[in-house]
Amino acid sequence: MSAEDLRRRRTNVRANVRTVPGPCARWNDEDADFIREVLDLVGDKWSVLIIGTLADGPIRYSDLADAIPGISQRMLTLTLKHLRRTGLITRTSYPEVPPRVEYTLTELGTSLLSTVLALAAWSADHHGEIRRHQAAYDSANARQADER
Amino acid sequence: MSAEDLRRRRTNVRANVRTVPGPCARWNDEDADFIREVLDLVGDKWSVLIIGTLADGPIRYSDLADAIPGISQRMLTLTLKHLRRTGLITRTSYPEVPPRVEYTLTELGTSLLSTVLALAAWSADHHGEIRRHQAAYDSANARQADER
DNA sequence: CAGTATCCTCTGAGATACTG
DNA sequence: CAGTATCTCAGAGGATACTG
């Protein structure tokens, strides 16, 4: 299945159902799965940060830890395993003393990175707007709480 | 800050640091925050599904529940609140009997949707490749477990 | 250096029951 | 219809200590 198909397909499914009884369209299970798949991949706290760091070229475990403030060894190791299993990164260990291990972004990983960066860019672009909405929403809620 | 800046900025920061002591670049805190912000927004289990459903036009609470199989009332309500607070959707209640409430995607929400759909499309495109990597990784691990 | 192994906490999310 | 109120639990993630 191709990229452009996704949007088209869901729209079609929706349209089909809508013409039958009324408004009650449902997600195609497969489409929902694709969303779950990416979220499972990049929806966690560290994956994107790691992938972004690897974008600058191969890097060692400890340098990775330094580059990503706040990550615990446990989470670093776990996330690296996860990314490796998915084929987004590769691990190369050099039999030296002291041991050296480098992590590298695969082509698959690079292709994902650019898509994810678009998301971060969206956030950067609309950050102000979002903050304004949140503030408005919160103050409206505070007023409601007062009235009670 | 603009969309194109994001990539450029991080690269610069990285380059600056790299020229000083060695490889030990760190994420700019602000950039990492942008990533956290989107993830907090769409990284959960239901947000994207809801946004995607709203893309077809305003829809009522109960129709939303039907359109998204598996979601609980609690999660639907909670996620709707979250999206509303961020300004991605709006809520309009019509004072009728029985009550009618419609949720509508804002422009902000629409702009996010298209970006997120790109991610889903990526998943659709690389799904096969990912599955192959996972299978390979798992069987390699199973062999290791046997050898022990 | 590059990880494991444990323990612990806290939150995301489901199930169920109730209400304006 | 469109929610709210509780209870519950699994697992994501942190802290700390240990190891090939």
Side-chain angles (χ1 to χ4, degrees):
Chain A
M1 182 156 97
S2 89
E4 292 79 34
D5 283 342
L6 194 73
R7 171 130 218 183
R8 220 180 305 128
R9 279 189 46 213
R10 223 179 58 71
T11 309
N12 290 342
V13 170
R14 190 65 38 92
N16 288 338
V17 182
R18 281 262 161 103
T19 56
V20 185
C24 205
R26 320 174 102 248
W27 277 87
N28 178 331
D29 276 2
E30 222 183 357
D31 293 344
D33 279 351
F34 289 136
I35 296 191
R36 295 266 153 71
E37 192 176 42
V38 241
L39 290 183
D40 181 48
L41 210 57
V42 302
D44 65 293
K45 199 170 174 186
W46 303 110
S47 291
V48 179
L49 263 6
I50 292 181
I51 295 175
T53 306
L54 290 189
D56 294 331
I59 187 173
R60 306 175 59 156
Y61 181 90
S62 54
D63 288 337
L64 210 39
D66 290 343
I68 303 174
I71 196 169
S72 63
Q73 284 197 326
R74 179 184 129 88
M75 273 305 111
L76 180 53
T77 306
L78 237 58
T79 312
L80 285 172
K81 269 188 188 145
H82 189 210
L83 295 177
R84 211 142 72 81
R85 184 174 115 95
T86 324
L88 296 178
I89 67 176
T90 52
R91 195 192 99 119
T92 321
S93 75
Y94 302 87
E96 309 170 353
V97 183
R100 180 163 60 103
V101 174
E102 280 189 351
Y103 289 90
T104 311
L105 207 58
T106 62
E107 246 183 74
L108 188 65
T110 309
S111 75
L112 178 58
L113 175 66
S114 55
T115 314
V116 164
L117 279 185
L119 222 63
W122 181 93
S123 174
D125 280 347
H126 300 84
H127 181 242
E129 197 176 346
I130 290 173
R131 292 293 304 243
R132 274 200 304 284
H133 279 294
Q134 290 178 342
Y137 183 98
D138 291 346
S139 74
N141 263 33
R143 234 176 294 133
Q144 287 228 335
D146 284 350
E147 285 162 18
R148 256 183 273 140
Chain B
M1 183 158 101
S2 89
E4 291 79 36
D5 283 343
L6 193 73
R7 172 131 218 182
R8 220 180 304 128
R9 280 189 47 214
R10 224 177 58 70
T11 309
N12 290 344
V13 171
R14 190 68 38 93
N16 288 340
V17 183
R18 280 258 163 104
T19 55
V20 185
C24 206
R26 320 174 101 250
W27 276 88
N28 177 331
D29 276 2
E30 222 183 357
D31 293 343
D33 279 350
F34 290 137
I35 296 191
R36 293 266 154 70
E37 192 177 41
V38 241
L39 289 183
D40 180 47
L41 209 57
V42 301
D44 65 293
K45 200 171 174 185
W46 303 110
S47 292
V48 180
L49 263 4
I50 291 182
I51 295 174
T53 306
L54 289 189
D56 294 331
I59 185 173
R60 306 175 61 156
Y61 181 91
S62 54
D63 288 338
L64 210 39
D66 290 343
I68 302 174
I71 196 170
S72 63
Q73 284 197 324
R74 180 184 129 88
M75 275 305 113
L76 180 53
T77 305
L78 237 59
T79 311
L80 285 173
K81 268 187 190 145
H82 189 210
L83 295 177
R84 212 141 73 81
R85 185 174 115 96
T86 323
L88 296 178
I89 67 175
T90 54
R91 193 192 101 119
T92 321
S93 75
Y94 301 88
E96 309 170 354
V97 183
R100 180 163 60 106
V101 175
E102 280 190 350
Y103 290 91
T104 312
L105 207 58
T106 62
E107 247 183 72
L108 187 64
T110 309
S111 75
L112 178 58
L113 175 66
S114 56
T115 314
V116 164
L117 280 184
L119 222 65
W122 181 92
S123 173
D125 279 347
H126 300 86
H127 181 243
E129 197 175 347
I130 291 173
R131 293 293 304 241
R132 275 200 305 283
H133 279 295
Q134 291 178 339
Y137 183 97
D138 291 345
S139 74
N141 262 33
R143 235 175 293 133
Q144 286 227 340
D146 285 350
E147 284 163 18
R148 255 180 276 140

